[in-house]
């Protein structure tokens, strides 16, 4: 009986506290569609997911040390806030492709955003390209060498 009441309470609490929450969808590509080392793909996926789920601490921790010195959690928060204000809240992301470029691998991800008009009577979607440039360091460690939205 206690477990049932606890489960019922948790369900009500989740419903109550998640009203207006954004559910993030991730679309996984087919394995044969990924043109980059698995370590590089996974590193870029974690970076995109950290941005979409508003996890600045994880986002910054995935960056190389010299980049972390310049792009802090505070920079992440400002950048994300600016993007959310202009195109909406991120709700899904998917890997599109990896471009060919000698030793570096620009991975192209699509991030979809949603926002409402002022009266909350119409919903708009926007899509933005998130490019994450990765490479392999000493042939065994994936690193991020750059990222940007376009």
């Amino acid at each position: 009986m206690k477990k049932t009441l606890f489960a019922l309470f948790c369900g009500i609490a989740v419903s109550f506290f998640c009203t207006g929450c954004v559910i993030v969808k991730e679309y996984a590509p087919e394995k044969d569609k990924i043109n980059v080392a698995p370590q590089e793909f996974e590193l870029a996926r974690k970076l995109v997911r950290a941005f979409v789920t508003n996890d600045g601490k994880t986002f910054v921790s995935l960056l190389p040390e010299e980049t972390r010195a310049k792009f802090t959690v505070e920079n992440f928060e400002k950048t994300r806030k600016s993007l959310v204000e202009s195109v909406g809240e991120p709700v899904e992301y998917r890997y599109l492709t990896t471009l060919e470029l000698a030793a570096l691998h620009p991975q192209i991800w699509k991030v979809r955003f949603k926002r409402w008009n002022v009266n909350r009577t119409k919903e708009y979607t926007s899509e933005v390209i998130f490019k994450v440039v990765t490479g392999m360091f000493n042939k065994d460690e994936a690193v991020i060498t750059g990222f940007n939205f376009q």
Side-chain angles (χ1 to χ4, degrees):
M1 179 69 173
K2 287 183 181 179
K3 287 182 182 178
T4 306
L5 287 174
F6 179 73
L8 179 63
F9 174 74
C10 288
I12 292 169
V14 168
S15 302
F16 177 73
F17 291 115
C18 285
T19 303
C21 289
V22 175
I23 296 173
V24 175
K25 296 178 186 173
E26 175 181 355
Y27 293 94
E30 297 173 24
K31 291 188 185 231
D32 63 339
K33 302 287 184 194
I34 301 172
N35 312 346
V36 68
Q39 306 96 307
E40 290 182 72
F41 173 79
E42 187 58 27
L43 182 61
R45 188 192 72 76
K46 287 178 181 177
L47 190 76
V48 174
R49 178 144 183 90
F51 174 81
V52 170
T53 61
N54 198 19
D55 185 355
K57 188 174 181 180
T58 297
F59 188 95
V60 172
S61 74
L62 295 169
L63 302 175
E65 188 175 334
E66 62 275 3
T67 306
R68 282 192 304 259
K70 298 174 190 167
F71 195 83
T72 63
V73 173
E74 292 78 24
N75 295 118
F76 170 87
E77 290 168 354
K78 288 176 188 173
T79 300
R80 191 175 188 286
K81 181 181 178 191
S82 173
L83 198 56
V84 166
E85 287 173 352
S86 64
V87 292
E89 192 67 39
V91 294
E92 66 182 55
Y93 60 97
R94 74 175 63 210
Y95 168 83
L96 298 177
T97 192
T98 300
L99 304 176
E100 293 181 30
L101 181 67
L104 299 176
H105 305 110
Q107 295 182 48
I108 308 301
W109 295 75
K110 176 173 70 170
V111 180
R112 177 173 280 185
F113 297 81
K114 288 191 178 182
R115 65 183 174 91
W116 291 88
N117 66 354
V118 178
N119 320 16
R120 295 196 56 83
T121 56
K122 183 159 173 64
E123 184 179 69
Y124 298 94
T125 59
S126 299
E127 294 178 334
V128 176
I129 295 293
F130 187 31
K131 182 171 71 172
V132 181
V133 183
T134 59
M136 294 299 288
F137 181 71
N138 290 334
K139 297 184 182 181
D140 64 342
E141 181 185 353
V143 295
I144 294 171
T145 62
F147 60 89
N148 65 37
F149 282 95
Q150 299 173 337

